[in-house]
């Protein structure tokens, strides 16, 4: 199907692929490139009063816009997967603030947004966490000594300047994705676990046991220059990660959309 976004024609896939058991689907959108008034009106109409109030509380217009598009993204992709009206979806949060769907216990999701980009991860019957970061933003890499494990902080400290930024955000996004998947927020110290990437993939080790936990599986994706996405999921079987570009209420595509 052909749709026009900002006077450009793009081919989009209207029906969302449904994540089967053992897979995590990740949907990425550039909120800062969505400006169609009709779309924005549709986004606002599908949100709950609480979501609208939360978006409207942001002082900066760009933050209000990102909040609006992010929440519409969540409702859109879950609505596509469950074949339910996005506006009818009901969300609650656990004691640590992680949202979950009411009445759909087998659908797990997580949302992240940063500097104009938003990403939503979906899976069935397994916890999931996601984080997106703008790697070009100003960052004091010395904070690794405070938030990373000792070995991670040493890796960042000793890395050549040309590699330091990539290494820092590789670790940072993985940590954020993991604690969001667990759903206990910062009650889990970020320095209580470490990541190691090798030929076997990305592995997590916990400081209290010193052991690798193979049921936690991780995936990283760079959807475009300057952005990195990390995803965490837990399963005794191998997880298949699939990623898609998305314009909420327009369509989903496995390839990069030109907005």
């Amino acid at each position: 199907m052909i749709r026009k976004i900002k006077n450009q024609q793009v081919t989009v896939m209207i029906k969302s692929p449904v994540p089967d058991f053992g897979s995590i689907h990740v949907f990425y959108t550039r909120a800062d490139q969505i400006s169609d008034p009709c779309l924005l009106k549709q986004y606002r109409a599908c949100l709950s009063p609480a979501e609208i109030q939360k978006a409207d509380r942001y002082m900066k217009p760009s933050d209000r816009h990102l909040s609006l598009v992010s929440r519409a993204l969540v409702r859109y992709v879950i609505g596509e997967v469950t074949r339910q009206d996005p506006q009818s979806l009901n969300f609650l949060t656990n004691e640590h603030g992680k949202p979950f769907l009411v009445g759909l216990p087998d659908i797990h999701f997580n949302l992240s947004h940063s500097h104009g980009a938003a990403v939503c991860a979906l899976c069935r019957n397994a916890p999931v966490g996601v984080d997106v970061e703008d790697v070009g933003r100003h960052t004091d890499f010395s904070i690794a000594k405070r938030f990373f494990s000792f070995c991670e902080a040493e890796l960042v400290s000793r890395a050549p300047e040309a590699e330091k930024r990539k290494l820092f955000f590789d670790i940072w996004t993985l940590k954020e994705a993991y604690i969001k998947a667990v759903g206990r927020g910062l009650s889990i110290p970020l320095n209580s676990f470490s990541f190691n990437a090798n030929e076997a993939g990305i592995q997590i080790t916990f400081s209290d046991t010193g052991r690798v936990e193979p049921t936690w599986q991780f995936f990283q994706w760079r959807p475009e220059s300057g952005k990195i996405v990390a995803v965490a999921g837990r399963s005794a079987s191998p997880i298949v990660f699939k990623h898609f570009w998305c314009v909420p209420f327009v369509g989903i595509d496995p390839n990069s959309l030109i907005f």
Side-chain angles (χ1 to χ4, degrees):
M1 180 177 180
I2 304 296
R3 290 290 299 269
K4 281 191 174 182
I5 304 295
K6 292 183 68 174
N7 297 320
Q8 296 189 33
Q9 287 188 339
V10 295
T11 304
V12 297
M13 190 167 60
I14 293 301
K15 287 191 176 181
S16 169
V18 179
D20 52 18
F21 295 98
S23 69
I24 295 177
H25 288 187
V26 181
F27 302 88
Y28 178 87
T29 193
R30 282 296 301 269
D32 57 357
Q33 296 181 12
I34 300 175
S35 59
D36 186 309
C38 293
L39 269 181
L40 298 179
K41 183 178 180 180
Q42 188 174 7
Y43 294 170
R44 195 172 179 90
C46 82
L47 267 57
S48 70
E51 289 170 324
I52 293 173
Q53 290 174 7
K54 181 178 180 180
D56 289 346
R57 280 198 296 266
Y58 287 103
M59 297 296 294
K60 294 174 60 177
S62 59
D63 291 337
R64 292 197 296 271
H65 180 81
L66 182 56
S67 180
L68 171 68
V69 177
S70 298
R71 295 307 309 176
L73 172 67
V74 171
R75 287 182 174 273
Y76 171 66
V77 295
I78 293 176
E80 287 291 290
V81 166
T82 62
R83 300 299 183 254
Q84 294 198 20
D85 178 6
Q87 190 175 8
S88 70
L89 298 173
N90 189 17
F91 300 90
L92 290 177
T93 58
N94 68 12
E95 62 271 28
H96 298 285
K98 183 177 181 179
F100 61 91
L101 277 163
V102 177
L104 295 168
D106 64 325
I107 300 295
H108 294 252
F109 74 97
N110 200 230
L111 171 69
S112 179
H113 51 73
S114 175
H115 291 77
V119 62
C120 179
L122 285 183
C123 69
R124 302 180 67 182
N125 290 326
V128 63
V130 66
D131 186 52
V132 60
E133 297 289 344
D134 187 317
V135 301
R137 64 178 172 85
H138 175 71
T139 304
D140 180 0
F141 299 121
S142 67
I143 66 173
K145 295 179 181 179
R146 178 182 176 187
F147 294 109
F148 289 7
S149 68
F150 176 78
C151 60
E152 290 170 332
E154 283 292 294
L155 282 175
V156 173
S157 176
R158 295 177 181 179
E161 287 302 315
E163 300 174 14
K164 196 180 296 288
R165 180 173 294 273
K166 177 183 180 300
L167 180 59
F168 176 88
F169 280 104
D170 280 353
I171 298 171
W172 183 268
T173 53
L174 287 167
K175 285 182 174 292
E176 287 285 328
Y178 168 72
I179 64 171
K180 291 178 72 179
V182 174
R184 288 168 46 199
L186 291 176
S187 65
I188 304 173
L190 289 175
N191 60 4
S192 66
F193 54 95
S194 301
F195 284 98
N196 179 45
N198 52 40
E199 293 181 357
I202 302 171
Q203 298 175 326
I204 187 170
T205 303
F206 297 99
S207 301
D208 57 347
T209 64
R211 297 178 180 176
V212 172
E213 178 46 74
T215 61
W216 279 105
Q217 300 174 51
F218 302 90
F219 164 81
Q220 286 184 308
W221 174 38
R222 287 173 170 78
E224 58 180 322
S225 177
K227 305 291 186 185
I228 181 173
V229 174
V231 187
R234 190 171 195 178
S235 174
S237 303
I239 297 173
V240 176
F241 294 93
K242 298 180 181 180
H243 49 74
F244 307 88
W245 280 68
C246 176
V247 179
F249 295 94
V250 174
I252 297 164
D253 196 290
N255 302 304
S256 172
L257 287 174
I258 302 174
F259 290 91

